[in-house]
Amino acid sequence: MAPTWGPGVASVIGTVGLLVVLLGGGCAAEEPPRFVKEPKDQIGVSGGVASFVCQATGDPKPRVTWNKKGKKVNSQRFETIEFDGSAGAVLRIQPLRTPRDENVYECVAQNSVGEITVHAKLTVLREDQLPPGFPNIDMGPQLKVVERTRTATMLCAASGNPDPEITWFKDFLPVDPSASNGRIKQLRSGALQIESSEETDQGKYECVATNSAGVRYSSPANLYVRELREGWCVFFFFTFFTHIFTF
């Protein structure tokens, strides 16, 4: 026979149950870091660029840093660009030097729960050492000025064997078209198409050609997004000729 509870006991049980639910929901378990983007080994060309991308998740949110031989990277040619509230970081090396920069680099993700490390190897070749099929940028992006809300297309074409994969960087950070709700697309040609341009799209763009033989970066090109107003054409020609005479 099932026990019969009085109203006072039922009230206590209900209160305890509510407290258990509230406490259980408010005490989320902490999580150690876990990598969601790991850097890949790269073969670069002397005088060129290498970028290693690393990102982690966890609770509390981890901080990502870069080391070389167990010590924090420290050089004028080495730059760490953080993103995602320091949970991600790009290690950019420019210009590459051989054999000085050839090494294994360490991405470290750390929070109060734990620490993890992943490694990536960098090989740097001289131009006269490049194997057949090493990527080449046949056409890189050029300076462009676009009116806000219009479409901007940054061109890129590359060759190599096997056919290189083309990716893009903006202000030294990787461009992720899937995070733009379809507004930014990479075309089959390799070009980057930006619809309904916004001021946040303004910046320095590079296309990167990668295959099994190595990695090559294009020269950077600036995209300017401007409101249509008097003087827009003057700004365009001033910027264009300044860019030309810089070279």
Side-chain angles (χ1 to χ4, degrees):
M1 180 177 178
T4 303
W5 303 105
V9 175
S11 176
V12 170
I13 293 175
T15 303
V16 171
L18 178 61
L19 285 172
V20 170
V21 170
L22 290 175
L23 290 173
C27 297
E30 293 183 331
E31 297 180 357
R34 175 176 57 85
F35 288 116
V36 292
K37 285 185 181 177
E38 296 188 7
K40 300 177 181 178
D41 294 346
Q42 289 188 35
I43 303 174
V45 59
S46 183
V49 182
S51 293
F52 294 101
V53 182
C54 189
Q55 187 178 11
T57 186
D59 186 15
K61 200 167 192 175
R63 179 180 177 84
V64 167
T65 55
W66 280 96
N67 293 337
K68 177 183 178 182
K69 296 181 179 178
K71 297 181 180 179
K72 189 175 181 180
V73 292
N74 183 21
S75 170
Q76 291 183 343
R77 295 181 299 105
F78 289 60
E79 184 175 3
T80 301
I81 305 97
E82 296 181 345
F83 63 95
D84 188 23
S86 299
V90 174
L91 175 63
R92 182 182 174 94
I93 310 172
Q94 179 186 20
L96 292 174
R97 295 286 181 258
T98 181
R100 188 185 311 172
D101 297 333
E102 292 192 317
N103 219 303
V104 175
Y105 296 86
E106 306 147 9
C107 172
V108 181
Q110 184 179 27
N111 65 9
S112 58
V113 185
E115 177 181 307
I116 53 174
T117 303
V118 66
H119 301 84
K121 181 181 179 182
L122 174 62
T123 303
V124 183
L125 303 176
R126 299 190 309 268
E127 285 283 355
D128 61 355
Q129 296 177 315
L130 299 182
F134 195 90
N136 188 62
I137 302 292
D138 301 322
M139 179 177 60
Q142 302 294 319
L143 180 146
K144 184 177 290 290
V145 181
V146 65
E147 180 186 346
R148 191 174 66 83
T149 73
R150 297 293 180 88
T151 297
T153 303
M154 306 298 282
L155 301 178
C156 182
S159 57
N161 188 21
D163 291 337
E165 175 187 4
I166 292 177
T167 54
W168 285 86
F169 278 72
K170 172 182 177 283
D171 296 332
F172 304 156
L173 292 175
V175 176
D176 182 7
S178 65
S180 68
N181 295 319
R183 196 175 62 84
I184 299 177
K185 304 172 183 175
Q186 185 168 327
L187 307 181
R188 293 183 63 183
S189 64
L192 190 70
Q193 181 175 284
I194 305 170
E195 299 177 354
S196 302
S197 298
E198 304 170 353
E199 289 186 8
T200 55
D201 297 320
Q202 185 167 285
K204 183 180 294 186
Y205 287 79
E206 299 166 292
C207 71
V208 185
T210 305
N211 66 11
S212 57
V215 179
R216 195 186 292 268
Y217 280 63
S218 73
S219 297
N222 285 314
L223 170 64
Y224 295 97
V225 180
R226 292 289 182 262
E227 295 281 357
L228 183 60
R229 60 170 73 104
E230 287 186 42
W232 185 89
C233 291
V234 174
F235 169 81
F236 172 79
F237 285 111
F238 173 78
T239 306
F240 177 77
F241 284 109
T242 299
H243 177 75
I244 292 297
F245 287 114
T246 299
F247 291 88

